[in-house]
Amino acid sequence: MGYKIAVVGATGNVGREILDILDERQFDADEVVALASRRSQGVDVSFGDKTLKCQALENFDFSDTDICLMSAGGSVSKEWSPKIAAQGCVVIDNSSAWRYDADVPLIVPEVNADAIEGFSKKNIIANPNCSTAQLVVALKPLHDAANIKRIVVSTYQSVSGGGKDAMDELFNQTRAVFVNDPIESDKFTKRIAFNVIPHIDTFMEDGYTKEEWKVLAETKKMLDPKIKVTCTAVRVPVFVGHAESVNIEFENEITADEARSILREAPGCLVVDKQEDGGYVTPYESAGEDATFISRIREDATVENGLNIWVVSDNLRKGAPLNAVQIAEVLVNRGLLKNRKAA
Ligand SMILES: NC(=O)c1ccc[n+]([C@@H]2O[C@H](COP(=O)([O-])OP(=O)(O)OC[C@H]3O[C@@H](n4cnc5c(N)ncnc54)[C@H](OP(=O)(O)O)[C@@H]3O)[C@@H](O)[C@H]2O)c1
């Protein structure tokens, strides 16, 4: 007998993709339920060749649901995840509400699958921020090989990271530029069409943004608290796919050739690094793909053991939905989840 899965936020960017990925990977589910806000009650969402009717989260009884894949934002998760978890259903949350809680494992299966064992303290497992997920997939094998001391990350993040309304804003502004209509900004603080904005999430007291802080805190939690991390997070007018320029300083010697062959063998990584025109991956080509692509691997001669790399991934795949489904697979494959209907 398969599991019963609930997808909360099923009408959103991440929720829709979760439904696709559950179907594509043929997750062992007998029943999949689509949930969203009351506004979406009765709305159709597709799940493989089926259509599911959305139900309202607030009316749903989780007492026989095994896993809740939650992607309805931080405040919904703060309120609902503990209530759902208290009904015995394991919550895998895509928001930042639980990531920094010491009793909640923060998991990227290629990086720290063993940390999942602690999930039963709260019955909640956190999925990292989209820019951190792809970053740690690329860094983990290099850290194992040569011990990372410090990283400097600059992100180039697509608008889909801000949800479906943010994608509409880029589309509408781009159209408005061409037809000479007034430009309206709502989701972004400045015009995003034909522009870049060095600001994602709220400003913190030290002048960094919350998005930049997340990359730092989550990399430390999953990879190694000793690594020094600094980040500049930038929104770019791209619909799907995040890119990152990463400067890495290691404790031990590592050449670009060594890094290339380590990353070629690493789980979740795909090296595309021909030093010629077009011999690298851009966000556009990463859309719809599961891999974290690594290109432009070069030695940084300005520090003792340094490398520069370019990391690209589909934020609507590894950035949340794929990673969340992979976490659910770890729970099942390690026998950590009881099937509640069969029990
Ligand atoms: N997009 C990314 O790349 C990405 C990556 C990592 C993590 N995340 C995180 O994933 C979450 C969802 O992001 P998204 O991009 O999918 O956002 P989105 O496209 O704006 O979708 C939000 C979803 O949440 C639902 N929702 C809102 N309020 C609700 C409520 N009170 N009760 C139940 N459902 C409610 C919405 O339902 P209605 O349609 O009914 O309003 C919709 O299905 C966020 O926490 C985000 O930070 C996103």
Side-chain angles (χ1 to χ4, degrees):
M1 182 177 254
Y3 295 91
K4 180 169 175 182
I5 310 294
V7 176
V8 177
T11 54
N13 271 346
V14 174
R16 284 178 193 271
E17 204 70 35
I18 286 176
L19 289 167
D20 283 349
I21 293 171
L22 285 170
D23 176 62
E24 264 171 47
R25 294 172 75 95
Q26 303 202 318
F27 189 85
D28 184 16
D30 261 7
E31 191 179 349
V32 175
V33 187
L35 304 173
S37 76
R38 216 185 316 166
R39 296 179 290 276
S40 301
Q41 220 163 350
V43 166
D44 286 339
V45 289
S46 47
F47 173 55
D49 50 17
K50 295 193 207 79
T51 301
L52 306 177
K53 284 244 177 281
C54 266
Q55 302 176 46
L57 167 65
E58 62 198 47
N59 301 331
F60 192 72
D61 174 6
F62 284 87
S63 57
D64 66 350
T65 304
D66 299 292
I67 301 176
C68 170
L69 294 156
M70 172 75 104
S71 55
S75 53
V76 176
S77 178
K78 269 257 184 287
E79 180 187 349
W80 283 93
S81 294
K83 294 183 193 166
I84 297 167
Q87 292 185 59
C89 173
V90 181
V91 178
I92 300 174
D93 182 44
N94 284 303
S95 79
S96 58
W98 304 97
R99 290 179 192 151
Y100 319 108
D101 185 318
D103 291 336
V104 173
L106 176 66
I107 302 292
V108 170
E110 294 89 341
V111 174
N112 65 339
D114 290 346
I116 205 166
E117 304 283 342
F119 82 93
S120 55
K121 286 188 193 145
K122 285 214 163 113
N123 245 7
I124 301 174
I125 302 168
N127 207 36
N129 182 37
C130 39
S131 34
T132 321
Q134 65 184 66
L135 178 68
V136 292
V137 167
L139 291 182
K140 164 76 174 160
L142 299 176
H143 186 47
D144 288 347
N147 217 0
I148 296 173
K149 286 201 308 198
R150 174 173 185 259
I151 59 168
V152 183
V153 189
S154 304
T155 71
Y156 303 69
Q157 297 180 226
S158 66
V159 293
S160 56
K164 55 187 186 325
D165 295 346
M167 295 178 82
D168 289 344
E169 188 156 312
L170 172 60
F171 181 87
N172 291 332
Q173 288 186 357
T174 307
R175 194 194 143 277
V177 169
F178 282 113
V179 300
N180 221 5
D181 272 354
I183 306 277
E184 284 170 23
S185 295
D186 175 35
K187 292 292 285 183
F188 298 109
T189 50
K190 300 219 175 196
R191 155 182 161 168
I192 184 68
F194 305 99
N195 200 7
V196 297
I197 305 175
H199 171 196
I200 303 179
D201 210 332
T202 51
F203 275 92
M204 302 180 61
E205 262 179 23
D206 60 4
Y208 283 79
T209 63
K210 190 80 191 288
E211 185 80 0
E212 292 160 350
W213 178 83
K214 286 176 196 167
V215 170
L216 181 155
E218 295 172 23
T219 302
K220 283 172 174 284
K221 182 166 175 177
M222 286 187 285
L223 206 54
D224 188 338
K226 293 196 291 297
I227 298 177
K228 291 181 182 162
V229 184
T230 187
C231 179
T232 301
V234 180
R235 190 71 78 189
V236 296
V238 166
F239 281 105
V240 175
H242 288 356
E244 295 169 341
S245 157
V246 191
N247 178 260
I248 317 166
E249 203 178 331
F250 296 87
E251 189 77 50
N252 305 318
E253 206 179 309
I254 181 166
T255 65
D257 280 343
E258 283 164 350
R260 222 170 271 122
S261 44
I262 289 163
L263 290 167
R264 276 203 183 101
E265 301 299 317
C269 295
L270 205 72
V271 175
V272 178
D273 193 22
K274 294 185 200 138
Q275 282 139 23
E276 60 186 39
D277 292 355
Y280 40 80
V281 171
T282 60
Y284 178 71
E285 300 140 74
S286 77
E289 301 289 333
D290 287 350
T292 293
F293 295 92
I294 301 131
S295 307
R296 308 284 333 272
I297 303 168
R298 291 149 291 154
E299 282 151 36
D300 171 7
T302 66
V303 290
E304 204 170 343
N305 300 308
L307 288 179
N308 283 308
I309 61 173
W310 173 250
V311 182
V312 179
S313 192
D314 180 341
N315 55 299
L316 295 181
R317 303 283 295 189
K318 188 62 187 167
L322 172 65
N323 198 63
V325 174
Q326 287 176 310
I327 293 173
E329 289 170 350
V330 173
L331 281 175
V332 170
N333 296 341
R334 295 192 174 200
L336 297 169
L337 194 68
K338 280 195 220 94
N339 187 314
R340 304 178 82 195
K341 272 195 188 154

mmCIF file of all heavy atoms in Angstrom, residues 302-331:
data_model
loop_
_atom_site.group_PDB
_atom_site.id
_atom_site.type_symbol
_atom_site.label_atom_id
_atom_site.label_comp_id
_atom_site.label_asym_id
_atom_site.label_seq_id
_atom_site.Cartn_x
_atom_site.Cartn_y
_atom_site.Cartn_z
ATOM 1 N N THR A 302 44.841 34.935 -6.724
ATOM 2 C CA THR A 302 45.004 36.001 -5.729
ATOM 3 C C THR A 302 45.009 35.477 -4.289
ATOM 4 O O THR A 302 45.244 36.235 -3.352
ATOM 5 C CB THR A 302 43.890 37.062 -5.855
ATOM 6 O OG1 THR A 302 42.636 36.464 -5.507
ATOM 7 C CG2 THR A 302 43.803 37.633 -7.257
ATOM 8 N N VAL A 303 44.680 34.184 -4.102
ATOM 9 C CA VAL A 303 44.754 33.584 -2.760
ATOM 10 C C VAL A 303 45.516 32.263 -2.871
ATOM 11 O O VAL A 303 45.746 31.764 -3.977
ATOM 12 C CB VAL A 303 43.343 33.325 -2.157
ATOM 13 C CG1 VAL A 303 42.642 34.613 -1.805
ATOM 14 C CG2 VAL A 303 42.485 32.475 -3.075
ATOM 15 N N GLU A 304 45.877 31.662 -1.709
ATOM 16 C CA GLU A 304 46.747 30.485 -1.759
ATOM 17 C C GLU A 304 46.088 29.281 -2.447
ATOM 18 O O GLU A 304 46.610 28.735 -3.405
ATOM 19 C CB GLU A 304 47.209 30.122 -0.361
ATOM 20 C CG GLU A 304 48.488 29.343 -0.432
ATOM 21 C CD GLU A 304 49.124 29.154 0.927
ATOM 22 O OE1 GLU A 304 48.743 29.891 1.867
ATOM 23 O OE2 GLU A 304 49.955 28.262 1.045
ATOM 24 N N ASN A 305 44.929 28.858 -1.985
ATOM 25 C CA ASN A 305 44.249 27.722 -2.612
ATOM 26 C C ASN A 305 42.849 28.175 -2.990
ATOM 27 O O ASN A 305 41.896 27.952 -2.249
ATOM 28 C CB ASN A 305 44.162 26.546 -1.635
ATOM 29 C CG ASN A 305 45.530 26.067 -1.195
ATOM 30 O OD1 ASN A 305 46.393 25.792 -2.033
ATOM 31 N ND2 ASN A 305 45.745 25.997 0.108
ATOM 32 N N GLY A 306 42.723 28.794 -4.138
ATOM 33 C CA GLY A 306 41.421 29.382 -4.490
ATOM 34 C C GLY A 306 40.891 28.896 -5.818
ATOM 35 O O GLY A 306 41.643 28.569 -6.738
ATOM 36 N N LEU A 307 39.582 28.830 -5.899
ATOM 37 C CA LEU A 307 38.910 28.490 -7.159
ATOM 38 C C LEU A 307 37.744 29.442 -7.373
ATOM 39 O O LEU A 307 37.132 29.914 -6.395
ATOM 40 C CB LEU A 307 38.323 27.073 -7.105
ATOM 41 C CG LEU A 307 39.245 25.853 -7.145
ATOM 42 C CD1 LEU A 307 38.405 24.580 -7.048
ATOM 43 C CD2 LEU A 307 40.095 25.833 -8.415
ATOM 44 N N ASN A 308 37.405 29.680 -8.630
ATOM 45 C CA ASN A 308 36.148 30.344 -8.983
ATOM 46 C C ASN A 308 35.296 29.339 -9.739
ATOM 47 O O ASN A 308 35.818 28.616 -10.598
ATOM 48 C CB ASN A 308 36.417 31.540 -9.909
ATOM 49 C CG ASN A 308 36.944 32.724 -9.136
ATOM 50 O OD1 ASN A 308 36.347 33.146 -8.149
ATOM 51 N ND2 ASN A 308 38.071 33.269 -9.573
ATOM 52 N N ILE A 309 33.994 29.286 -9.422
ATOM 53 C CA ILE A 309 33.097 28.424 -10.191
ATOM 54 C C ILE A 309 31.797 29.174 -10.480
ATOM 55 O O ILE A 309 31.455 30.154 -9.797
ATOM 56 C CB ILE A 309 32.795 27.066 -9.478
ATOM 57 C CG1 ILE A 309 32.109 27.275 -8.118
ATOM 58 C CG2 ILE A 309 34.055 26.246 -9.311
ATOM 59 C CD1 ILE A 309 31.645 25.968 -7.457
ATOM 60 N N TRP A 310 31.072 28.692 -11.484
ATOM 61 C CA TRP A 310 29.777 29.251 -11.890
ATOM 62 C C TRP A 310 28.766 28.119 -11.720
ATOM 63 O O TRP A 310 28.931 27.042 -12.301
ATOM 64 C CB TRP A 310 29.889 29.709 -13.341
ATOM 65 C CG TRP A 310 28.670 30.169 -14.052
ATOM 66 C CD1 TRP A 310 28.024 29.528 -15.071
ATOM 67 C CD2 TRP A 310 27.967 31.407 -13.874
ATOM 68 N NE1 TRP A 310 26.971 30.276 -15.532
ATOM 69 C CE2 TRP A 310 26.924 31.442 -14.813
ATOM 70 C CE3 TRP A 310 28.141 32.492 -13.002
ATOM 71 C CZ2 TRP A 310 26.031 32.510 -14.916
ATOM 72 C CZ3 TRP A 310 27.255 33.550 -13.106
ATOM 73 C CH2 TRP A 310 26.222 33.561 -14.052
ATOM 74 N N VAL A 311 27.752 28.353 -10.888
ATOM 75 C CA VAL A 311 26.808 27.284 -10.538
ATOM 76 C C VAL A 311 25.409 27.691 -10.988
ATOM 77 O O VAL A 311 24.952 28.797 -10.653
ATOM 78 C CB VAL A 311 26.796 27.056 -9.001
ATOM 79 C CG1 VAL A 311 25.857 25.913 -8.622
ATOM 80 C CG2 VAL A 311 28.198 26.778 -8.473
ATOM 81 N N VAL A 312 24.735 26.841 -11.730
ATOM 82 C CA VAL A 312 23.401 27.161 -12.257
ATOM 83 C C VAL A 312 22.450 26.003 -12.004
ATOM 84 O O VAL A 312 22.818 24.834 -12.165
ATOM 85 C CB VAL A 312 23.475 27.410 -13.793
ATOM 86 C CG1 VAL A 312 22.100 27.707 -14.357
ATOM 87 C CG2 VAL A 312 24.414 28.550 -14.110
ATOM 88 N N SER A 313 21.227 26.333 -11.598
ATOM 89 C CA SER A 313 20.232 25.278 -11.441
ATOM 90 C C SER A 313 18.834 25.867 -11.587
ATOM 91 O O SER A 313 18.638 27.069 -11.420
ATOM 92 C CB SER A 313 20.399 24.621 -10.066
ATOM 93 O OG SER A 313 19.640 23.442 -9.996
ATOM 94 N N ASP A 314 17.883 25.017 -11.904
ATOM 95 C CA ASP A 314 16.475 25.424 -11.988
ATOM 96 C C ASP A 314 15.948 25.556 -10.563
ATOM 97 O O ASP A 314 15.796 24.549 -9.861
ATOM 98 C CB ASP A 314 15.696 24.362 -12.780
ATOM 99 C CG ASP A 314 14.215 24.710 -12.912
ATOM 100 O OD1 ASP A 314 13.711 25.539 -12.116
ATOM 101 O OD2 ASP A 314 13.545 24.126 -13.775
ATOM 102 N N ASN A 315 15.659 26.795 -10.166
ATOM 103 C CA ASN A 315 15.185 27.019 -8.790
ATOM 104 C C ASN A 315 13.829 26.386 -8.544
ATOM 105 O O ASN A 315 13.437 26.154 -7.402
ATOM 106 C CB ASN A 315 15.120 28.519 -8.484
ATOM 107 C CG ASN A 315 14.282 29.281 -9.484
ATOM 108 O OD1 ASN A 315 14.595 29.306 -10.672
ATOM 109 N ND2 ASN A 315 13.193 29.879 -9.023
ATOM 110 N N LEU A 316 13.094 26.091 -9.622
ATOM 111 C CA LEU A 316 11.795 25.439 -9.435
ATOM 112 C C LEU A 316 11.936 23.912 -9.500
ATOM 113 O O LEU A 316 10.935 23.192 -9.569
ATOM 114 C CB LEU A 316 10.789 25.922 -10.489
ATOM 115 C CG LEU A 316 10.435 27.412 -10.388
ATOM 116 C CD1 LEU A 316 9.426 27.799 -11.452
ATOM 117 C CD2 LEU A 316 9.894 27.751 -8.999
ATOM 118 N N ARG A 317 13.171 23.408 -9.509
ATOM 119 C CA ARG A 317 13.402 21.958 -9.406
ATOM 120 C C ARG A 317 14.244 21.732 -8.137
ATOM 121 O O ARG A 317 13.697 21.573 -7.064
ATOM 122 C CB ARG A 317 14.110 21.398 -10.644
ATOM 123 C CG ARG A 317 13.417 21.645 -11.943
ATOM 124 C CD ARG A 317 12.234 20.744 -12.189
ATOM 125 N NE ARG A 317 12.563 19.342 -12.322
ATOM 126 C CZ ARG A 317 11.684 18.405 -12.720
ATOM 127 N NH1 ARG A 317 10.451 18.734 -13.042
ATOM 128 N NH2 ARG A 317 12.014 17.144 -12.803
ATOM 129 N N LYS A 318 15.593 21.764 -8.268
ATOM 130 C CA LYS A 318 16.417 21.490 -7.087
ATOM 131 C C LYS A 318 16.215 22.553 -6.007
ATOM 132 O O LYS A 318 16.368 22.295 -4.818
ATOM 133 C CB LYS A 318 17.905 21.422 -7.488
ATOM 134 C CG LYS A 318 18.811 20.956 -6.357
ATOM 135 C CD LYS A 318 18.462 19.551 -5.901
ATOM 136 C CE LYS A 318 19.236 19.136 -4.666
ATOM 137 N NZ LYS A 318 18.679 17.909 -4.050
ATOM 138 N N GLY A 319 15.818 23.761 -6.437
ATOM 139 C CA GLY A 319 15.653 24.870 -5.493
ATOM 140 C C GLY A 319 14.574 24.655 -4.450
ATOM 141 O O GLY A 319 14.518 25.367 -3.460
ATOM 142 N N ALA A 320 13.695 23.719 -4.618
ATOM 143 C CA ALA A 320 12.673 23.432 -3.599
ATOM 144 C C ALA A 320 11.914 22.148 -3.925
ATOM 145 O O ALA A 320 12.041 21.152 -3.200
ATOM 146 C CB ALA A 320 11.708 24.605 -3.415
ATOM 147 N N PRO A 321 11.124 22.101 -5.017
ATOM 148 C CA PRO A 321 10.239 20.945 -5.190
ATOM 149 C C PRO A 321 10.971 19.607 -5.315
ATOM 150 O O PRO A 321 10.622 18.646 -4.629
ATOM 151 C CB PRO A 321 9.515 21.258 -6.501
ATOM 152 C CG PRO A 321 9.775 22.675 -6.811
ATOM 153 C CD PRO A 321 11.010 23.072 -6.110
ATOM 154 N N LEU A 322 12.006 19.562 -6.156
ATOM 155 C CA LEU A 322 12.728 18.297 -6.316
ATOM 156 C C LEU A 322 13.367 17.894 -4.997
ATOM 157 O O LEU A 322 13.278 16.740 -4.569
ATOM 158 C CB LEU A 322 13.801 18.451 -7.416
ATOM 159 C CG LEU A 322 14.758 17.273 -7.552
ATOM 160 C CD1 LEU A 322 14.022 16.014 -7.999
ATOM 161 C CD2 LEU A 322 15.881 17.591 -8.544
ATOM 162 N N ASN A 323 14.015 18.870 -4.345
ATOM 163 C CA ASN A 323 14.671 18.549 -3.079
ATOM 164 C C ASN A 323 13.663 18.042 -2.044
ATOM 165 O O ASN A 323 13.934 17.093 -1.310
ATOM 166 C CB ASN A 323 15.417 19.772 -2.551
ATOM 167 C CG ASN A 323 16.442 19.399 -1.508
ATOM 168 O OD1 ASN A 323 17.399 18.686 -1.794
ATOM 169 N ND2 ASN A 323 16.226 19.824 -0.276
ATOM 170 N N ALA A 324 12.470 18.655 -2.018
ATOM 171 C CA ALA A 324 11.446 18.222 -1.053
ATOM 172 C C ALA A 324 11.013 16.778 -1.333
ATOM 173 O O ALA A 324 10.873 15.971 -0.406
ATOM 174 C CB ALA A 324 10.245 19.162 -1.120
ATOM 175 N N VAL A 325 10.836 16.447 -2.602
ATOM 176 C CA VAL A 325 10.434 15.075 -2.943
ATOM 177 C C VAL A 325 11.586 14.105 -2.639
ATOM 178 O O VAL A 325 11.363 13.000 -2.135
ATOM 179 C CB VAL A 325 9.973 14.981 -4.425
ATOM 180 C CG1 VAL A 325 9.703 13.550 -4.832
ATOM 181 C CG2 VAL A 325 8.721 15.845 -4.646
ATOM 182 N N GLN A 326 12.828 14.541 -2.888
ATOM 183 C CA GLN A 326 13.973 13.678 -2.551
ATOM 184 C C GLN A 326 14.040 13.417 -1.038
ATOM 185 O O GLN A 326 14.409 12.336 -0.605
ATOM 186 C CB GLN A 326 15.284 14.334 -3.009
ATOM 187 C CG GLN A 326 15.481 14.297 -4.512
ATOM 188 C CD GLN A 326 16.752 15.058 -4.917
ATOM 189 O OE1 GLN A 326 16.965 16.199 -4.497
ATOM 190 N NE2 GLN A 326 17.578 14.440 -5.716
ATOM 191 N N ILE A 327 13.680 14.429 -0.237
ATOM 192 C CA ILE A 327 13.658 14.230 1.222
ATOM 193 C C ILE A 327 12.601 13.171 1.567
ATOM 194 O O ILE A 327 12.842 12.268 2.370
ATOM 195 C CB ILE A 327 13.368 15.563 1.963
ATOM 196 C CG1 ILE A 327 14.531 16.538 1.786
ATOM 197 C CG2 ILE A 327 13.102 15.317 3.446
ATOM 198 C CD1 ILE A 327 14.269 17.949 2.342
ATOM 199 N N ALA A 328 11.441 13.280 0.930
ATOM 200 C CA ALA A 328 10.379 12.285 1.181
ATOM 201 C C ALA A 328 10.875 10.892 0.787
ATOM 202 O O ALA A 328 10.602 9.894 1.485
ATOM 203 C CB ALA A 328 9.127 12.663 0.384
ATOM 204 N N GLU A 329 11.637 10.800 -0.295
ATOM 205 C CA GLU A 329 12.176 9.498 -0.721
ATOM 206 C C GLU A 329 13.159 8.949 0.307
ATOM 207 O O GLU A 329 13.189 7.746 0.569
ATOM 208 C CB GLU A 329 12.865 9.640 -2.090
ATOM 209 C CG GLU A 329 11.864 9.865 -3.219
ATOM 210 C CD GLU A 329 12.514 10.255 -4.558
ATOM 211 O OE1 GLU A 329 13.733 10.541 -4.597
ATOM 212 O OE2 GLU A 329 11.789 10.300 -5.559
ATOM 213 N N VAL A 330 13.969 9.840 0.909
ATOM 214 C CA VAL A 330 14.907 9.384 1.941
ATOM 215 C C VAL A 330 14.125 8.793 3.122
ATOM 216 O O VAL A 330 14.454 7.724 3.640
ATOM 217 C CB VAL A 330 15.835 10.541 2.420
ATOM 218 C CG1 VAL A 330 16.684 10.116 3.604
ATOM 219 C CG2 VAL A 330 16.716 11.031 1.290
ATOM 220 N N LEU A 331 13.047 9.483 3.527
ATOM 221 C CA LEU A 331 12.219 8.981 4.636
ATOM 222 C C LEU A 331 11.702 7.571 4.340
ATOM 223 O O LEU A 331 11.767 6.683 5.187
ATOM 224 C CB LEU A 331 11.001 9.886 4.843
ATOM 225 C CG LEU A 331 11.168 11.198 5.588
ATOM 226 C CD1 LEU A 331 9.856 11.976 5.564
ATOM 227 C CD2 LEU A 331 11.594 10.949 7.045
#
